[in-house]
Amino acid sequence: MRQPVVRCVEFVESVTEWTEGALSDDDRLTIEEHLVVCPHCTDYLVQLRLATEVVHEQPPEAPATATRTALLTAFRSQRDSR
Amino acid sequence: MHAGVDQTEADDTRLVAALRAGDEQAFGGLVDRYYGVMLRVARDYVATKEAAEDVVQETFLGVIQGIDRFEGRSSLRTWMFRILVNRARTRGEREGRTRPFSSFASGLDDDEPAVDPDRFVPDGRWAGFWSAPPSAEHLPDAKVLAVELGDRLTQAIETLPPAQRTVLELRDVRGFSSAEVCELLDISEANQRVLLHRARSKARAVLERYLQAGRP
């Protein structure tokens, strides 16, 4: 049964299901209709996407120097034993 | 959102060739890129941080020893993470640890709203609509924000429940697809989505707080 209207409080909880393509066609349309009429949820989505992009820019956590050195040593010795 | 950004098939072919040729820089790059997130994935299967570190080291040794046999039927990183999960699982079983208590299976029932409920109209005709809406005016560029937010966002990610943090890192930092994440962590699509949803919602809240603090 299609929900005729989605409120903002529901939009913010359904948005990931929407971006992940996990909604039924009806629910997807309901979300998209809400976005057309609600500038605030559109702004929310913009912020959410920006946050995701910023997260993507995070540098990886490097291993401790000793661990890294040990792994590289193992790599070298395997290479040289061939 | 960033599926495939981190690694493409062409990159894989080059990387595998470099590893087989004994290219130390290529191996070092792999270690730098995946060590942290591998540690977190392993940590879910074993009892201690030390055991997880052992498992990750063993995994990289397994990669060194097995790279000649890598057939490219999956991506290199999927292959690496399969080695990781197999070893972590074996180790966890030896420790008598069971995964039903894993952070991926728990913590999904408690209701954490994406946005503070006080920001919506509580009752009346407009109940559930924004009373304190977010603003997307004058947003800086993601790369600029990444530098500005830097530590603040890193700290926020570090305080996420482990499962949310791992899913966010695999999906949004390392660019894994949802299918890859579900396979590696052995969780359902729906659980993966909930974890991602909560983590992303919190990342957005950090961003919004930062932007608001910068405004009069």
Side-chain angles (χ1 to χ4, degrees), chain A residues 18-75:
Chain A
W18 177 63
T19 57
E20 294 282 289
L23 292 176
S24 68
D25 284 349
D26 281 353
D27 288 345
R28 182 175 57 77
L29 282 174
T30 308
I31 289 287
E32 287 165 9
E33 282 167 8
H34 180 79
L35 274 175
V36 171
V37 298
C38 183
H40 301 321
C41 284
T42 306
D43 282 358
Y44 182 86
L45 181 64
V46 170
Q47 283 191 352
L48 193 68
R49 287 193 163 141
L50 182 61
T52 307
E53 282 174 49
V54 174
V55 168
H56 187 66
E57 297 294 327
Q58 292 295 296
E61 245 176 290
T65 315
T67 308
R68 193 177 192 278
T69 309
L71 285 170
L72 284 174
T73 306
F75 183 71

Side-chain angles (χ1 to χ4, degrees), chain B residues 18 26 69 102 108 119 132 138 143 163 178:
Chain B
R69 293 188 302 274
S102 117
L108 284 175
R119 296 186 58 183
H138 314 299
K143 285 197 181 0
S178 61

Side-chain angles (χ1 to χ4, degrees), chain A residues 5-17 19-20 22 34 38-44 46-64 67-68 70-72 74-76 78-79 82, chain B residues 2 5 19-20 22-24 27-28 31-33 35-36 40 57 60-61 64-65 68 113-115 120 127-130 133-136 139-140 142-143 145-146 153-154 165 171-174 193 196-197 200 203-204 207-208:
Chain A
V5 148
V6 59
R7 298 171 306 159
C8 309
V9 70
E10 288 135 10
F11 173 85
V12 301
E13 295 302 345
S14 310
V15 63
T16 308
E17 284 171 280
T19 57
E20 294 282 289
H34 180 79
C38 183
H40 301 321
C41 284
T42 306
D43 282 358
Y44 182 86
V46 170
Q47 283 191 352
L48 193 68
R49 287 193 163 141
L50 182 61
T52 307
E53 282 174 49
V54 174
V55 168
H56 187 66
E57 297 294 327
Q58 292 295 296
E61 245 176 290
T67 308
R68 193 177 192 278
L71 285 170
L72 284 174
F75 183 71
R76 264 196 303 272
Q78 171 79 15
R79 177 187 64 192
R82 272 186 220 169
Chain B
H2 290 282
V5 169
L19 291 172
R20 283 179 181 157
D23 182 336
E24 216 173 299
F27 182 71
V31 171
D32 292 338
R33 202 161 0 142
Y35 189 89
R40 205 128 345 87
Q57 293 209 31
F60 278 110
L61 297 179
I64 298 173
Q65 283 151 12
D68 286 335
V115 175
F120 300 100
F129 288 84
W130 292 100
S135 163
L139 290 182
K143 285 197 181 0
L145 259 178
L153 193 68
T154 308
R165 183 177 174 188
R171 288 293 310 276
D172 289 346
V173 187
R174 303 268 66 93
R193 227 165 23 238
L196 182 68
H197 175 67
R200 280 183 180 169
R204 187 215 62 88
L207 175 106
E208 184 182 44

Side-chain angles (χ1 to χ4, degrees), chain B residues 134-181:
Chain B
S135 163
E137 263 182 66
H138 314 299
L139 290 182
D141 175 73
K143 285 197 181 0
V144 174
L145 259 178
V147 175
E148 287 177 12
L149 267 170
D151 290 350
R152 216 177 296 224
L153 193 68
T154 308
Q155 279 164 15
I157 293 175
E158 279 168 7
T159 57
L160 289 173
Q164 291 180 22
R165 183 177 174 188
T166 304
V167 170
L168 187 76
E169 290 204 1
L170 289 172
R171 288 293 310 276
D172 289 346
V173 187
R174 303 268 66 93
F176 281 55
S177 71
S178 61
E180 279 179 292
V181 174

